[in-house]
Amino acid sequence: MAATPLVQLAKHEDSRGRLVSVESLRDVPFAIARAYYILPAESAARGFHAHRTLEQLMICVSGSCRVILDDGETRSEWLLDRPDLGLMLEPMVWHEMHDLSEGSILLVLASARYDESDYIRDRGEFVREAAARAGR
Ligand code: T46
């Protein structure tokens, strides 16, 4: 996992409000192929999977959310509570989203189109694949 998965995004603030921008291959290290957003049911945890190749940036554009990242060896926890803060979700990192506040919105920018075969949704399978890739 990178030293910090957090990405500070450019924000432009004036009397009319705030505008936050994200540029492909500049603010994120991949070409953006897809965007989706999640309007979670309050306190319902989501995620619980890893991607084999997909790179993503997650932004909590409204509200807050606690995200757990786990590469099979190291587990870390991150709070997303600002619309100008992104969290990189790298390939082969198990991720879980918890404590989604009421009315929160998660925007995710992804490096590829939706492909269910890129998901590892079984925790045991993830641990085995991560260990094999790391030569453990
Ligand atoms: C991720 C985390 C952060 C589609 O049909 N197209 C899409 O682009 C996406 C993202 C999902 N779906 C379908 C697949 C499922 O039937 O939407 C349904 C819900 O997806 P899922 O249960 O994977 O939702 P989350 O919130 O657990 O995970 C999502 C993304 O799927 C995943 O890639 O990294 O957000």
Side-chain angles (χ1 to χ4, degrees), residues 39-95:
L39 313 164
E42 195 183 348
S43 339
R46 302 188 64 115
F48 298 88
H49 59 251
H51 285 282
R52 293 190 169 88
T53 62
L54 190 69
E55 295 174 85
Q56 302 189 98
L57 183 79
M58 177 188 287
I59 305 158
C60 191
V61 294
S62 181
S64 62
C65 166
R66 187 169 59 86
V67 184
I68 290 173
L69 301 182
D70 177 0
D71 65 4
E73 271 199 311
T74 310
R75 191 176 166 90
S76 58
E77 202 174 299
W78 306 89
L79 178 67
L80 293 182
D81 59 355
R82 294 191 344 241
D84 59 334
L85 191 63
L87 182 75
M88 274 296 301
L89 303 175
E90 293 179 358
M92 293 306 289
V93 173
W94 184 266
H95 48 277

Side-chain angles (χ1 to χ4, degrees), residues 8-136:
Q8 177 62 55
L9 301 169
K11 65 177 172 200
H12 311 272
E13 193 160 5
D14 60 29
S15 57
R16 298 167 299 168
R18 284 180 292 171
L19 185 155
V20 179
S21 59
V22 187
E23 288 195 21
S24 193
L25 296 171
R26 187 168 145 174
D27 299 305
V28 289
F30 56 83
I32 298 167
R34 175 170 53 115
Y36 60 91
Y37 46 92
I38 300 171
L39 313 164
E42 195 183 348
S43 339
R46 302 188 64 115
F48 298 88
H49 59 251
H51 285 282
R52 293 190 169 88
T53 62
L54 190 69
E55 295 174 85
Q56 302 189 98
L57 183 79
M58 177 188 287
I59 305 158
C60 191
V61 294
S62 181
S64 62
C65 166
R66 187 169 59 86
V67 184
I68 290 173
L69 301 182
D70 177 0
D71 65 4
E73 271 199 311
T74 310
R75 191 176 166 90
S76 58
E77 202 174 299
W78 306 89
L79 178 67
L80 293 182
D81 59 355
R82 294 191 344 241
D84 59 334
L85 191 63
L87 182 75
M88 274 296 301
L89 303 175
E90 293 179 358
M92 293 306 289
V93 173
W94 184 266
H95 48 277
E96 302 173 8
M97 295 93 88
H98 294 272
D99 301 337
L100 295 136
S101 66
E102 188 181 356
S104 58
I105 302 174
L106 288 176
L107 170 66
V108 184
L109 306 173
S111 63
R113 295 175 69 174
Y114 175 69
D115 174 8
E116 185 59 36
S117 70
D118 191 66
Y119 286 71
I120 309 174
R121 294 189 185 269
D122 179 78
R123 176 72 196 178
E125 192 182 332
F126 166 71
V127 169
R128 285 191 295 279
E129 268 193 48
R133 284 203 197 194
R136 294 196 294 270

